[in-house]
């Protein structure tokens, strides 16, 4: 009886896996380029281009589940049956921009790219964007025929040179690529040294340290014409691989790029899912967007801390635990509405605290937890976080997601990252 059950369960798991991936997908990538456009009042998603890469480097299990909600979502349905066969979540610079004052008066367009496994049959793709109250604000549904002759093949030849920095040994490691931004051809060895430093810094933080065999890190030598990156508040503009610049939304230290297609063009043919871009500058700054990219200055003294903080955003979907006493940018007043529970795992508005770290609290932990009690409650509910001094709470007094001086992630961030790593890699 036991033998029969065993055989049955092997068969069942084989069928589930086959249905999950091999039944519907080839081990190649379909790259979907979109334009997100609009203003505070009306938003649009348009399809720009489709392309095919020679391999797939994302998840092959738990295809129809998202570990985190994100601000955007892509769903793939088998056209013949209407069945959901793949989903992923993400956030975008466009949605951050919608929270600026400029978005109240001006329409803008942003590039955005999604990668999905290459479908074997016709599929229906639905991409949606949500606002900070989790209300849908834009949607596009379109069909993809895998044999469409206008799907351009990329990455089959002329692949950007790259070097393996760290190799995981689990069956399906998480593939992270590190790109060079503002490094000229003769500076590539310096870039490889910086990429090595970034990986060492990430892998010196828990839970990445204990789970380092779950990651592959590869450094890609994307070359720039000019050295350094653009710094608008110093009137310095540079011609670089991804046209990144400081002063995003007029915030001096916010370093981002809106040239998303260029990033993915540089990566065609290289197995990747998560992206880190190192900028060849000693100016302080960076940015990280969930399931989009991390971008950080490689020659500032805080590099090691900042690259891990931004990777906490782009890989881990963690929120900023810091808050400002005064306005320092064009961002509108309140980022997280206080009547909605944010989807990020390391902040809460207490609207649905059960979904957060309530089960990690010691019995009788006061809410809010006074900072004077921090030694008694290493995990608490401390007021201030997500850019707000009041109404948003964080799990610990300090954390890698709050300051560059604190040496590690707080226990709640560590737990959230651990769960996510297992989501991607568990058999
Ligand atoms: Zn934290």
């Amino acid at each position: 009886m036991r033998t029969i059950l065993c055989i049955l369960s092997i068969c069942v798991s084989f069928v589930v896996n086959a249905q999950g991936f091999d039944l519907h997908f080839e081990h190649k990538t379909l790259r979907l380029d979109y334009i997100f456009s609009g203003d505070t009042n009306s938003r649009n998603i348009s399809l720009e281009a489709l392309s095919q890469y020679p391999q797939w480097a994302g998840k092959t299990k738990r295809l129809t589940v998202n570990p985190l909600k994100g601000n955007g979502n892509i769903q793939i349905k088998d056209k013949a049956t209407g069945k959901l066969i793949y989903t992923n979540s993400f956030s975008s610079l466009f949605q951050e921009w919608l929270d600026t004052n400029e978005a109240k008066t001006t329409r803008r367009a942003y590039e955005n790219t999604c990668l999905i496994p290459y479908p074997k049959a016709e599929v229906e793709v639905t991409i949606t964007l949500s606002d900070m109250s989790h209300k849908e604000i834009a949607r596009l549904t379109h069909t993809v025929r895998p044999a469409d002759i206008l799907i351009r093949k990329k990455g089959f030849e002329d692949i950007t040179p790259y070097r393996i920095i760290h190799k995981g040994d689990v069956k399906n490691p998480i593939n992270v690529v590190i790109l060079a931004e503002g490094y000229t051809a003769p500076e590539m060895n310096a870039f490889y040294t910086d990429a090595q430093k970034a990986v060492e810094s990430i892998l010196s933080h828990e839970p990445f340290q204990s789970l380092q065999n779950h990651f592959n890190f590869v450094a890609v030598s994307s070359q720039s014409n000019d050295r350094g990156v653009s710094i608008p508040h110093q009137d310095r503009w540079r011609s670089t691989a991804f046209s990144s610049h400081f002063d995003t939304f007029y915030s001096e230290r916010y370093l981002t790029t809106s040239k998303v297609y260029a990033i993915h063009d540089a990566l065609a043919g290289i197995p990747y899912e998560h992206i880190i871009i190192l900028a060849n500058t000693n100016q302080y700054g960076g940015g990280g967007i969930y399931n989009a990219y991390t971008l950080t200055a490689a020659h500032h003294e805080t590099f090691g801390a900042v690259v891990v903080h931004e990777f906490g955003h782009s890989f881990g979907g963690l929120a900023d635990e810091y808050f400002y006493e005064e306005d320092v940018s064009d961002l509108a007043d309140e980022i997280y509405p206080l009547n909605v529970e944010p989807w990020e795992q390391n902040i809460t508005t207490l609207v649905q605290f059960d979904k957060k770290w309530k089960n990690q609290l010691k019995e009788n932990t006061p809410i809010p937890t006074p900072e004077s009690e921090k030694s008694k409650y290493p995990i608490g509910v401390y007021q201030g976080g997500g850019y707000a001094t009041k109404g948003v709470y964080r799990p610990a007094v300090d954390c890698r997601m709050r300051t560059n001086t604190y040496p590690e992630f707080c226990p709640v961030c560590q737990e959230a990252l651990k769960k996510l790593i297992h989501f991607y890699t568990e058999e």
Side-chain angles (χ1 to χ4, degrees), residues 249-262:
F249 312 148
Y250 300 97
S251 171
E252 276 195 9
R253 66 184 203 189
Y254 196 17
L255 170 65
T256 68
T257 170
S258 48
K259 304 299 177 200
V260 175
Y261 302 161

Side-chain angles (χ1 to χ4, degrees), residues 98-101 104 327 329-335:
L98 287 175
D99 278 323
T100 65
N101 289 318
K104 292 173 185 165
D327 245 356
S329 71
D330 186 40
L331 287 173
D333 301 338
E334 196 175 75
I335 302 295

Side-chain angles (χ1 to χ4, degrees), residues 410-423:
C410 73
V412 168
C413 284
Q414 289 192 28
E415 191 58 30
L417 290 166
K418 207 188 290 178
K419 267 194 196 158
L420 196 58
I421 295 167
H422 287 302
F423 173 87

